[in-house]
């Protein structure tokens, strides 16, 4: 049986906006509270980060499940998407800046303490950095499809050079090039801001490398001090499960590694039952 899914007008969520201090950027986010939250406080709060080219509703099968566990859930439209601001400059999409945006959101929406973090795709790239830049705000991480990799030392390599070394990532050059947004940016799903914002995430490699050069030596052997889980899939040629080999050394509190063999990259919606089972098992330690 397919798990319960959130709908675009679902009464279980409310819509909110927050403005990032010292910027003109506004984030839209969904907020969902357990049904009995008026009489019993949520057991914890979960922040869910979607990837490309998704929306907060990309977590539609997971939100009702998390509510059933007595958890409060915050789900933003990431920068460039949905009702969130979509600046034109790729510099605004650096992982360092995005981490500060999310840190503000966590402190504003959940001032009582740190959150559990769930991530997918670009949301996972960002989530690992958020847990580095603001470890005091995160008490556990579960990620789908994107393993953690430490800040890179040495020469800054361009996206073109990176793709030459990893040809399976050639789609990133296409996404960064501008042609795709010109062709499909006017379709109804992206009619508000087009595709420039979502594609800008692919134009940040050198920006992120420059931001992280001061961190590279310090974090080469750094370990996360919170429990974590990484879930890979069997049908994603660009991101095979073996990318997690050796990842355990970065996690002082343990790393659970899982693979859903029958899933594609869009695991959250293609195999939601299996996804929710793994999330539930991982979150038991916090409940």
């Amino acid at each position: 049986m397919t798990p319960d899914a959130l709908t675009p007008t679902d009464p279980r969520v409310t819509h909110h906006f927050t403005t990032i201090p010292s910027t003109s950027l506004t984030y839209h986010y969904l907020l969902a509270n357990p049904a009995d939250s008026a009489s019993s406080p949520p057991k914890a709060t979960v922040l869910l980060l979607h990837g490309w080219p998704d929306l907060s509703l990309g977590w539609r099968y997971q939100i009702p499940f998390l509510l059933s566990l007595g958890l409060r859930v915050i789900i933003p439209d990431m920068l460039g998407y949905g009702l969130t601001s979509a600046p034109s400059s790729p510099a605004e999409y650096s992982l360092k800046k995005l981490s500060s945006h999310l840190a503000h959101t966590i402190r504003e929406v959940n001032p009582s303490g740190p959150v559990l973090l769930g991530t997918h795709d670009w949301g996972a790239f960002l989530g690992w950095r958020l847990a580095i830049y603001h470890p005091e705000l995160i008490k556990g991480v579960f990620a789908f499809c994107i393993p953690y990799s430490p800040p890179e030392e040495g020469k800054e390599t361009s996206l073109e050079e990176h793709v030459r070394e990893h040809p399976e990532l050639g789609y990133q050059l296409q996404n960064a090039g501008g042609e795709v947004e010109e062709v499909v940016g006017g379709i109804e799903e992206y009619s508000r801001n087009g595709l420039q914002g979502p594609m800008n995430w692919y134009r940040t490699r050198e920006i992120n490398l420059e931001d992280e050069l001061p961190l590279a030596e310090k974090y080469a052997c750094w370990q996360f001090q919170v429990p974590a889980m990484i879930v890979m899939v069997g049908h994603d040629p660009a991101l095979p499960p073996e990318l997690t080999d050796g990842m355990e050394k970065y996690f002082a509190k343990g790393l659970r590694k899982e693979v859903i063999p029958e899933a594609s990259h869009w695991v959250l919606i293609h195999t939601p039952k299996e996804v929710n089972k793994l999330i539930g098992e991982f979150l038991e330690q916090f409940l």
Side-chain angles (χ1 to χ4, degrees):
M1 180 181 295
T2 303
D4 182 17
L6 206 72
T7 65
T9 57
D10 205 298
R12 291 173 289 187
V13 299
T14 53
H15 295 257
H16 303 267
F17 293 87
T18 183
T19 299
I20 307 304
S22 304
T23 77
S24 59
L25 302 176
T26 298
Y27 272 69
H28 165 255
Y29 63 91
L30 305 178
L31 181 64
N33 286 296
D36 61 351
S37 60
S39 59
S40 178
K43 296 177 181 177
T45 297
V46 181
L47 176 69
L48 298 176
L49 307 182
H50 71 78
W52 179 94
D54 215 338
L55 292 169
S56 50
L57 274 173
W59 293 95
R60 56 190 172 274
Y61 289 106
Q62 287 70 52
I63 296 166
F65 172 70
L66 293 169
L67 290 176
S68 75
L69 299 179
L71 297 165
R72 186 172 184 242
V73 193
I74 308 166
I75 323 97
D77 286 338
M78 304 309 294
L79 194 69
Y81 292 88
L83 297 176
T84 291
S85 297
S88 59
S89 170
E92 297 303 315
Y93 296 78
S94 74
L95 296 179
K96 184 176 182 179
K97 286 186 177 180
L98 296 174
S99 293
S100 70
H101 300 169
L102 293 174
H104 161 77
T105 304
I106 293 170
R107 293 187 178 110
E108 179 176 278
V109 184
N110 195 64
S112 60
V115 300
L116 295 162
L117 182 61
T119 67
H120 175 245
D121 188 73
W122 266 108
F125 273 116
L126 173 56
W128 297 124
R129 277 357 188 216
L130 172 62
I132 285 180
Y133 284 119
H134 302 280
E136 76 284 359
L137 297 178
I138 307 300
K139 63 180 179 180
V141 183
F142 56 93
F144 290 87
C145 297
I146 304 295
Y148 168 71
S149 56
E152 295 184 30
E153 295 186 79
K155 180 185 174 183
E156 296 178 38
T157 56
S158 67
L159 180 58
E160 289 78 8
E161 292 171 315
H162 186 60
V163 169
R164 278 199 292 272
E165 294 177 8
H166 304 278
E168 70 278 8
L169 301 180
Y171 69 93
Q172 296 190 8
L173 278 178
Q174 184 182 48
N175 287 352
E179 296 86 355
V180 175
E181 62 210 67
E182 291 179 9
V183 174
V184 302
I187 63 175
E188 185 176 351
E189 189 178 1
Y190 294 97
S191 59
R192 182 171 178 266
N193 290 310
L195 272 178
Q196 184 181 39
M199 295 305 195
N200 273 343
W201 290 65
Y202 288 95
R203 299 174 178 131
T204 58
R205 175 172 172 80
E206 291 171 78
I207 296 168
N208 289 327
L209 287 174
E210 184 174 354
D211 278 346
E212 294 182 3
L213 279 176
L215 303 178
E217 184 175 352
K218 177 181 178 182
Y219 286 92
C221 299
W222 186 78
Q223 290 186 310
F224 292 93
Q225 299 299 313
V226 296
M229 177 175 71
I230 179 68
V231 181
M232 303 298 281
V233 298
H235 296 285
D236 188 343
L239 297 163
E242 53 264 31
L243 290 179
T244 66
D245 290 353
M247 187 175 158
E248 298 89 342
K249 66 183 178 182
Y250 299 113
F251 293 85
K253 301 296 184 181
L255 174 68
R256 176 171 177 167
K257 294 167 65 173
E258 299 287 349
V259 177
I260 303 179
E262 67 273 25
S264 74
H265 181 74
W266 310 109
V267 58
L268 302 180
I269 60 173
H270 284 175
T271 55
K273 182 178 178 181
E274 293 79 2
V275 165
N276 289 357
K277 179 178 182 292
L278 291 175
I279 292 175
E281 291 172 356
F282 174 72
L283 293 182
E284 283 180 1
Q285 63 192 300
F286 301 99
L287 304 180

